Amino acid sequence: MTFVISHPMDAPLSALDKGVPAIETNLPLDAVGAQQWRLLKEDLPLPVAVLKEDCLRHNSQWMKSFLADGGARLAPHGKTTMSPGLFDLQLADGAWAITVSTPHQVQVVRRFGYQRIFLANQLIGAKAIDFVISELARDASFEFFFLVDSVDNVKAIAKAARDAKLQRPLEALVEIGYPGGRTGCRSVNEAIDLAHAIHETNGAIVLRGVEGFEGLLKGADNAATLELVSAFLDSIVALARACDEERLYGSETVILSAGGSSFYDIVVEKLGSAALTKQTIILVRSGCYITHDSVLYAKAVQALRERNPALADAHGGLAPALEVWAYIQSRPEPEKAIAGLGKRDISYDDQPIALVWYRPGVDMERPQPLSPDHRVTRLNDQHCHLEIPADSPLKVGDMVGFGVSHPCLTFDKWRVLHVVDHNYQITSSVRTYF
Amino acid sequence: MTFVISHPMDAPLSALDKGVPAIETNLPLDAVGAQQWRLLKEDLPLPVAVLKEDCLRHNSQWMKSFLADGGARLAPHGKTTMSPGLFDLQLADGAWAITVSTPHQVQVVRRFGYQRIFLANQLIGAKAIDFVISELARDASFEFFFLVDSVDNVKAIAKAARDAKLQRPLEALVEIGYPGGRTGCRSVNEAIDLAHAIHETNGAIVLRGVEGFEGLLKGADNAATLELVSAFLDSIVALARACDEERLYGSETVILSAGGSSFYDIVVEKLGSAALTKQTIILVRSGCYITHDSVLYAKAVQALRERNPALADAHGGLAPALEVWAYIQSRPEPEKAIAGLGKRDISYDDQPIALVWYRPGVDMERPQPLSPDHRVTRLNDQHCHLEIPADSPLKVGDMVGFGVSHPCLTFDKWRVLHVVDHNYQITSSVRTYF
């Protein structure tokens, strides 16, 4: 039986949710498909965010095949979608854990019952530390991994664990960064000192591995970026080996983890070459593969194609699954149209792409592509400015489907997204928890 | 009795809400104050968004006094906060209606029972039009105003009203814009033609007034901006007079409306000079005054002060009410700190301002100001990069309070915001509906 992309703990749909019709009474998620709502029949208020089901399933399978080929494991970054309905699809396709970024996200995934959680960040703040310790005490099958990059933080967490009389160790990875970067120790030596500080907590915290995030490195061109990424991954490996030599790991299995969304291939190759004396899990944390996108990660795949065409196009490549639809609400000048979506509906680090259009009520069979001279020039909070050719077909009341530039910053603008089939009929809905 | 800033229809707090502790069972909103949670005692997970109660009340009173002085009415833009708890404060202080921007927002404010709604936008899409018509049919005391800028849209709405046999007219304002702008007719003549098209719906839609939005006009400097705004407001007045002369209004009272957040004084003065033959309501729609901010509207008040110091500082001026708090999670380099908040927590058209810091657990009495050489240089999705002096006191685990650059795009990142007293003790919480 096909897995339905939905989560049984999600609250029913409500008219208070953006993208949900003005239903009189709340609608349980498992009753959504039976409504047979169709986007193109105007059954939904716009703007609305939709996930193309065939693309989601394809991308999930693509990652499964890729990981099987490369021998790595995946803890998909939950911060991308914060959607348990999608987490379950990812786990069904073999994900090893769910990665999150913040204490709030830890709280959410625990409430949904996920048992293996990777916090790709420092664990900071009394409330957050207490919550993790109490969950570890309460549930023996809960596995929790987190990053450290400062002795102060190691001491604070170890003290809290001792104060709470926690009967098992917390499991940390030392984070290595790079000068000018974000979090993480700035050198292998600094990171080794920190690993020693973990060792000195006498089992309150154990060292489970080494981590770095390569995703923000940027050189002058693709080749320069690749060089920076390679060198950084080398530093993760060097640190991992040093900790191995100094016998600082507190477990039989060591986790080596990097981001992996844009550089899957290099990450798996480099970290896979560490050759430690312990069993090693190569853990990538890509979050965006599940929906892919039309700009940011589309460029990343293009760069991957340049260096590794076989991989980029293996299993048909990734497909953009996420679209936001809006009406044309004004065409005030021949070369200008205003659509009813804005910064509150779609990511805007780069402008979204106007992909297709559809005129409801006139027997148009399918959405039609928009020529590339339809360009988003500006987003306000609730409006989208489109530069269009004077002979564009678009008029007030037409629907436009937009591709997104960045899934993470689009998902967080929606509490409900609808999963659609190839005819844009809603098959299920998922909630998000940002 | 003091009005509690909260709404009885808001769902209880849940551990799934960002900024809410890992409570085992959901907490009704009217029980929040009794918890005596204190931000500075680390009773809340960070990041968290807080509203300073004394500033909210002060700003609400400031607007009340200002409107009383100028003779205008206020339909505060609900899209800023989308928070019924705050709408009720605004209405308690004399707001005439709630303004919204999208069909979803109409749906939300109707669900909360607000009776006079101003849609400062075109009403587009079959579902949205049907919803408004059915609400007007169902509830004789529901008053709904909306904008039109195209004949196509007028015809679509009139047809839907006739098809539904609606027994009372829809009430539209013609929107006038300007070349290169957003929505709205591009000239007075075009707008008059549209007013005639409304007249020709034979009462399906009546013309209730004239509207324009001056808030996006921008000249080379403050004086040039003011000139553009003045000229644009003149075009609203010219259109209002032309519709009066041609007897196109379908009611005894005419509404003249503009945005009014940055140019309250000019809007009230200009629109107040229209001298129509009908009774006239000058309606401003400022949304941001209720929280004010630390950057965008702080600059607008500075510009107001230059042209009208008495008004800018009347009744003590506006006070920034909205702060987002986060921990320092890493201090990886002497002149760099990383805080645990990002693009998902705070607006980023302009960078937020690091205002104050606090070290929990060391008997520090109050948050202390941060020197201006603490600067936010970059936000990622979940991280904030701070450039700081090497001798900055900040270390891992310290709390920092950030001022926001734009309230609208900060509110939409929170489902729950907490109202705090002058000691940062939580007195109540409000929900948002984006």
Side-chain angles (χ1 to χ4, degrees):
Chain A
M1 211 181 82
T2 316
F3 169 81
V4 178
I5 301 175
S6 180
H7 198 287
M9 280 174 60
D10 277 341
L13 296 188
S14 150
L16 297 175
D17 296 315
K18 186 169 66 169
V20 171
I23 46 180
E24 286 292 324
T25 53
N26 291 352
L27 183 72
L29 270 282
D30 59 8
V32 169
Q35 308 301 309
Q36 300 197 296
W37 286 331
R38 278 199 65 199
L39 174 67
L40 303 177
K41 269 184 60 194
E42 301 194 272
D43 287 335
L44 302 171
L46 303 191
V48 72
V50 298
L51 295 162
K52 297 166 99 164
E53 181 166 357
D54 50 358
C55 299
L56 283 180
R57 293 188 191 276
H58 169 85
N59 293 342
S60 193
Q61 284 292 324
W62 182 94
M63 182 54 89
K64 186 177 183 176
S65 305
F66 167 69
L67 293 168
D69 296 348
R73 284 189 172 150
L74 175 70
H77 213 319
K79 74 134 186 153
T80 296
T81 71
M82 280 310 288
S83 182
L86 296 175
F87 296 167
D88 284 356
L89 175 66
Q90 295 173 306
L91 290 166
D93 282 331
W96 182 78
I98 298 292
T99 297
V100 292
S101 186
T102 70
H104 168 250
Q105 294 170 3
V106 174
Q107 207 166 292
V108 169
V109 293
R110 276 306 287 166
R111 191 55 58 109
F112 274 87
Y114 296 102
Q115 290 292 64
R116 191 184 282 139
I117 297 170
F118 189 100
L119 175 63
N121 231 334
Q122 284 68 38
L123 177 65
I124 306 284
K127 265 281 175 293
I129 295 169
D130 288 351
F131 176 70
V132 165
I133 288 172
S134 71
E135 287 293 291
L136 287 169
R138 196 175 64 75
D139 179 357
S141 63
F142 173 38
E143 291 179 70
F144 181 77
F145 308 98
F146 64 101
L147 310 184
V148 290
D149 76 351
S150 80
V151 173
D152 280 354
N153 186 220
V154 164
K155 286 182 178 168
I157 294 171
K159 179 179 185 306
R162 280 190 300 263
D163 289 352
K165 305 198 189 335
L166 183 65
Q167 297 301 305
R168 55 176 173 140
L170 285 127
E171 304 181 82
L173 288 80
V174 167
E175 178 170 43
I176 185 161
Y178 47 86
R182 199 160 67 187
T183 51
C185 301
R186 286 329 198 222
S187 69
V188 171
N189 284 341
E190 198 187 309
I192 293 171
D193 289 347
L194 184 61
H196 278 283
I198 293 172
H199 203 254
E200 285 155 19
T201 66
N202 295 317
I205 310 176
V206 295
L207 181 67
R208 281 302 310 269
V210 173
E211 187 273 354
F213 180 54
E214 79 293 352
L216 295 173
L217 283 161
K218 199 152 176 56
D221 55 26
N222 286 347
T225 299
L226 206 59
E227 210 164 297
L228 291 172
V229 168
S230 294
F232 177 61
L233 293 168
D234 285 340
S235 75
I236 298 180
V237 170
L239 173 60
R241 286 177 181 154
C243 292
D244 195 28
E245 281 157 22
E246 301 201 28
R247 300 179 181 279
L248 294 172
Y249 295 116
S251 62
E252 282 314 298
T253 311
V254 169
I255 300 170
L256 301 185
S257 181
S261 270
S262 303
F263 306 101
Y264 312 91
D265 52 334
I266 318 287
V267 166
V268 172
E269 180 200 324
K270 286 280 184 183
L271 300 189
S273 71
L276 305 185
T277 63
K278 302 210 166 209
Q279 206 177 343
T280 306
I281 294 174
I282 310 301
L283 190 65
V284 296
R285 307 189 307 268
S286 172
C288 294
Y289 77 90
I290 190 73
T291 61
H292 197 54
D293 69 23
S294 302
V295 184
L296 190 66
Y297 287 100
K299 284 181 198 158
V301 165
Q302 188 48 38
L304 174 63
R305 186 170 289 118
E306 283 168 23
R307 66 178 186 264
N308 193 336
L311 177 61
D313 296 317
H315 315 289
L318 291 170
L322 175 55
E323 291 175 358
V324 179
W325 283 72
Y327 286 111
I328 297 298
Q329 76 172 75
S330 181
R331 189 166 171 185
E333 297 173 14
E335 299 188 350
K336 180 160 202 163
I338 304 292
L341 87 163
K343 291 183 175 179
R344 275 158 161 194
D345 309 303
I346 199 159
S347 63
Y348 54 97
D349 286 357
D350 289 298
Q351 302 294 13
I353 309 283
L355 297 171
V356 292
W357 72 285
Y358 186 82
R359 181 163 299 156
V362 297
D363 215 24
M364 189 166 157
E365 198 178 338
R366 293 195 57 75
Q368 296 299 311
L370 280 166
S371 61
D373 49 359
H374 291 74
R375 288 193 318 109
V376 175
T377 56
R378 190 177 178 190
L379 289 168
N380 301 140
D381 292 1
Q382 316 270 184
H383 294 85
C384 171
H385 297 245
L386 282 160
E387 189 180 276
I388 62 176
D391 63 355
S392 166
L394 292 182
K395 64 178 198 175
V396 169
D398 287 347
M399 303 166 81
V400 175
F402 291 85
V404 312
S405 74
H406 186 178
C408 302
L409 291 177
T410 301
F411 268 95
D412 65 6
K413 292 166 178 60
W414 297 90
R415 301 184 188 193
V416 169
L417 296 95
H418 301 297
V419 181
V420 296
D421 70 11
H422 59 289
N423 282 321
Y424 289 96
Q425 180 163 319
I426 314 304
T427 56
S428 65
S429 306
V430 294
R431 283 196 171 276
T432 67
Y433 299 87
F434 290 100
Chain B
M1 208 181 86
T2 315
F3 169 80
V4 177
I5 301 175
S6 179
H7 198 287
M9 279 173 62
D10 278 342
L13 296 189
S14 149
L16 297 175
D17 296 315
K18 187 168 65 170
V20 172
I23 46 180
E24 286 292 324
T25 53
N26 291 352
L27 183 72
L29 270 280
D30 59 8
V32 169
Q35 308 302 309
Q36 301 196 294
W37 286 330
R38 276 200 66 197
L39 174 67
L40 303 178
K41 269 183 61 193
E42 301 195 272
D43 287 334
L44 301 171
L46 303 191
V48 73
V50 298
L51 294 162
K52 297 166 99 163
E53 182 165 356
D54 49 359
C55 299
L56 284 180
R57 293 188 191 276
H58 169 84
N59 293 343
S60 193
Q61 285 292 324
W62 182 95
M63 182 56 90
K64 186 178 183 177
S65 305
F66 166 68
L67 293 168
D69 296 348
R73 285 188 170 150
L74 174 71
H77 213 319
K79 74 134 186 154
T80 297
T81 71
M82 280 310 288
S83 183
L86 296 175
F87 296 168
D88 284 356
L89 175 66
Q90 294 172 305
L91 290 166
D93 282 331
W96 182 77
I98 298 293
T99 297
V100 292
S101 186
T102 69
H104 168 250
Q105 294 170 3
V106 174
Q107 208 166 292
V108 169
V109 291
R110 276 307 285 167
R111 191 54 60 108
F112 274 86
Y114 295 102
Q115 290 293 61
R116 191 185 282 138
I117 297 171
F118 189 100
L119 175 63
N121 231 334
Q122 284 67 39
L123 177 65
I124 306 284
K127 266 282 175 291
I129 294 169
D130 288 351
F131 176 70
V132 165
I133 289 172
S134 70
E135 287 294 290
L136 287 169
R138 197 175 64 75
D139 179 355
S141 62
F142 173 38
E143 292 179 69
F144 181 77
F145 307 97
F146 64 102
L147 310 184
V148 290
D149 76 351
S150 80
V151 173
D152 280 355
N153 186 222
V154 165
K155 286 183 178 166
I157 294 171
K159 179 178 184 309
R162 280 191 300 263
D163 289 353
K165 304 199 188 340
L166 182 65
Q167 297 300 304
R168 55 175 173 139
L170 286 128
E171 303 180 82
L173 288 81
V174 167
E175 177 169 43
I176 185 161
Y178 46 87
R182 199 161 66 187
T183 52
C185 301
R186 287 326 199 223
S187 68
V188 172
N189 283 341
E190 198 187 308
I192 293 172
D193 289 347
L194 184 60
H196 278 283
I198 293 171
H199 203 253
E200 284 155 20
T201 66
N202 294 317
I205 311 178
V206 295
L207 181 66
R208 282 302 310 269
V210 172
E211 187 272 355
F213 180 54
E214 79 293 350
L216 297 172
L217 283 162
K218 198 151 177 58
D221 56 25
N222 286 347
T225 299
L226 207 59
E227 209 163 297
L228 291 172
V229 168
S230 294
F232 177 61
L233 293 168
D234 285 339
S235 75
I236 298 179
V237 170
L239 173 60
R241 287 177 181 155
C243 291
D244 195 29
E245 280 157 24
E246 301 201 28
R247 302 180 180 278
L248 293 172
Y249 294 116
S251 62
E252 282 315 297
T253 312
V254 169
I255 300 170
L256 302 185
S257 181
S261 269
S262 302
F263 306 100
Y264 312 92
D265 52 333
I266 318 288
V267 165
V268 172
E269 179 200 324
K270 286 280 185 183
L271 300 189
S273 70
L276 306 185
T277 64
K278 301 211 166 208
Q279 207 178 344
T280 306
I281 294 174
I282 310 301
L283 190 66
V284 296
R285 307 190 306 269
S286 173
C288 295
Y289 76 92
I290 190 73
T291 61
H292 197 52
D293 68 24
S294 302
V295 185
L296 190 65
Y297 288 100
K299 284 182 198 158
V301 165
Q302 189 47 39
L304 173 63
R305 186 170 290 119
E306 283 168 24
R307 66 178 187 266
N308 194 338
L311 177 61
D313 297 316
H315 315 290
L318 291 169
L322 175 56
E323 292 175 357
V324 179
W325 282 72
Y327 286 111
I328 297 299
Q329 76 171 75
S330 182
R331 190 167 170 184
E333 298 173 15
E335 299 188 350
K336 180 160 203 163
I338 303 293
L341 88 164
K343 291 182 176 180
R344 279 165 157 185
D345 309 303
I346 199 159
S347 63
Y348 53 98
D349 286 358
D350 289 297
Q351 302 294 14
I353 308 283
L355 297 172
V356 291
W357 73 285
Y358 186 83
R359 181 163 299 156
V362 296
D363 216 24
M364 187 166 156
E365 197 178 340
R366 294 195 56 75
Q368 296 299 311
L370 280 166
S371 61
D373 49 359
H374 291 75
R375 288 194 320 109
V376 175
T377 56
R378 188 177 179 191
L379 289 168
N380 301 141
D381 291 2
Q382 315 271 183
H383 295 85
C384 171
H385 298 245
L386 281 161
E387 189 180 277
I388 62 176
D391 63 355
S392 166
L394 293 182
K395 64 177 198 175
V396 169
D398 286 347
M399 303 166 81
V400 174
F402 291 85
V404 313
S405 74
H406 185 177
C408 301
L409 290 177
T410 301
F411 268 95
D412 65 5
K413 292 165 178 61
W414 297 90
R415 302 183 188 194
V416 169
L417 296 95
H418 301 296
V419 181
V420 296
D421 69 13
H422 59 289
N423 282 320
Y424 289 96
Q425 179 163 320
I426 314 302
T427 56
S428 65
S429 307
V430 295
R431 284 198 169 275
T432 67
Y433 299 88
F434 290 100

